[in-house]
Amino acid sequence: MTAQQPITYDTFVELAATDPAVVGLVLKGSRAHEGMTTEYSDHDLYVVLADGATTALTRFTGHRTPELDLVILSLDEFRAAGMPGFERYALARARIVLDRLDGGIAQILAGKARLDADDAFREAGEWLDAYANSLYRSVKNARDGHALAARLDAADSIRFLLELLFALDRRPRPYNKYLEWELARFPLPGWDTCLLLDAVDRISGMGDVSAQRRLFAQVEAVARRAGHSAVLDAWGEDLNLMRPH
């Protein structure tokens, strides 16, 4: 069997489980999110090898079919994977198929689900400023009659807002596909999930100025309690345009 020949997920897992070089198998993506699997869902599998180990499984490096995508890497590489980066959320919510390290793989995944406090604070400040910038532009464009620009800026602001809210809770932001799934199971502290998602929908879809201002009032209060007053105060009198009237 070669990397060019199709291999099923179950067959590969059976093969990898008998190889002593393999210390972990981690499934990410839709199949790691209960209720998100469809007929189109493939298996995205991390194959974690002991550092310095050799194995014939490396012939599957880069294997990608409609059923099975494989990422084969060393334990050290796995520790660094997605730290930081877009892959971090996928790993934070991944499902362990095999852990030969007596919980070591689980510990690594748990670490990816929780941002370092200092990094999270710094990133939250940056996302807050970006959110305020897009919000300000959206409201100003709506005021000046630039409807399309206002809606586009409003949609941009939601991206930054979500990054901010998850950073404040020291969590990687989920992919858009998993936002509702994540919040249904792991709500953001202090936020009503249904009301938040409704505001996100209205703002990203219609650029609703009143909804933007109401949401900003909540965000401002949360951000100030989290120690980010300096970021907000730097906007000076422009804050008045963002706040509810």
Side-chain angles (χ1 to χ4, degrees):
M1 187 175 295
T2 70
Q4 285 71 41
Q5 294 175 316
I7 183 172
T8 68
Y9 168 77
D10 290 335
T11 299
F12 183 85
V13 168
E14 290 178 9
L15 182 63
T18 64
D19 192 322
V22 177
V23 296
L25 294 173
V26 175
L27 184 67
K28 65 169 186 170
S30 297
R31 292 190 179 273
H33 289 70
E34 182 182 0
M36 293 297 292
T37 303
T38 73
E39 62 181 300
Y40 306 107
S41 299
D42 62 358
H43 295 80
D44 294 298
L45 190 68
Y46 270 84
V47 183
V48 186
L49 306 178
D51 292 325
T54 58
T55 170
L57 291 179
T58 55
R59 71 186 185 275
F60 290 103
T61 298
H63 182 90
R64 183 180 179 89
T65 68
E67 181 185 357
L68 179 62
D69 288 354
L70 297 176
V71 177
I72 301 176
L73 70 179
S74 70
L75 182 59
D76 276 345
E77 291 171 331
F78 181 66
R79 285 193 182 97
M83 301 284 281
F86 73 94
E87 191 76 346
R88 183 164 185 165
Y89 174 77
L91 289 168
R93 295 292 179 224
R95 181 165 66 84
I96 297 171
V97 178
L98 175 69
D99 186 347
R100 283 205 176 104
L101 300 180
D102 297 324
I105 297 295
Q107 186 175 12
I108 291 171
L109 292 181
K112 296 180 186 299
R114 194 73 173 156
L115 306 181
D116 173 81
D118 290 340
D119 289 343
F121 184 85
R122 174 184 52 77
E123 290 176 13
E126 294 171 354
W127 292 124
L128 174 60
D129 195 48
Y131 164 61
N133 185 285
S134 287
L135 167 63
Y136 175 74
R137 290 175 181 276
S138 177
V139 174
K140 189 170 65 170
N141 279 324
R143 179 198 65 190
D144 297 342
H146 305 301
L148 175 58
R151 291 196 302 273
L152 292 173
D153 286 326
D156 285 344
S157 78
I158 292 302
R159 172 199 164 200
F160 302 131
L161 169 69
L162 293 173
E163 294 282 5
L164 164 63
L165 295 184
F166 280 95
L168 287 172
D169 197 34
R170 294 179 55 189
R171 290 156 61 183
R173 175 195 163 182
Y175 306 148
N176 293 332
K177 177 180 180 178
Y178 301 123
L179 178 63
E180 293 174 278
W181 184 98
E182 177 76 13
L183 292 179
R185 290 158 179 78
F186 309 98
L188 289 164
W191 290 90
D192 182 299
T193 293
C194 290
L195 292 179
L196 176 60
L197 288 175
D198 181 65
V200 165
D201 188 22
R202 289 179 62 83
I203 292 167
S204 61
M206 297 179 288
D208 187 313
V209 171
S210 294
Q212 291 191 74
R213 285 174 167 155
R214 288 194 300 270
L215 184 57
F216 178 73
Q218 295 177 269
V219 173
E220 180 176 8
V222 168
R224 288 189 184 279
R225 286 197 298 270
H228 295 287
S229 291
V231 174
L232 291 163
D233 291 341
W235 281 86
E237 295 184 359
D238 289 337
L239 288 173
N240 294 328
L241 192 63
M242 307 180 211
R243 291 168 173 157
H245 289 180

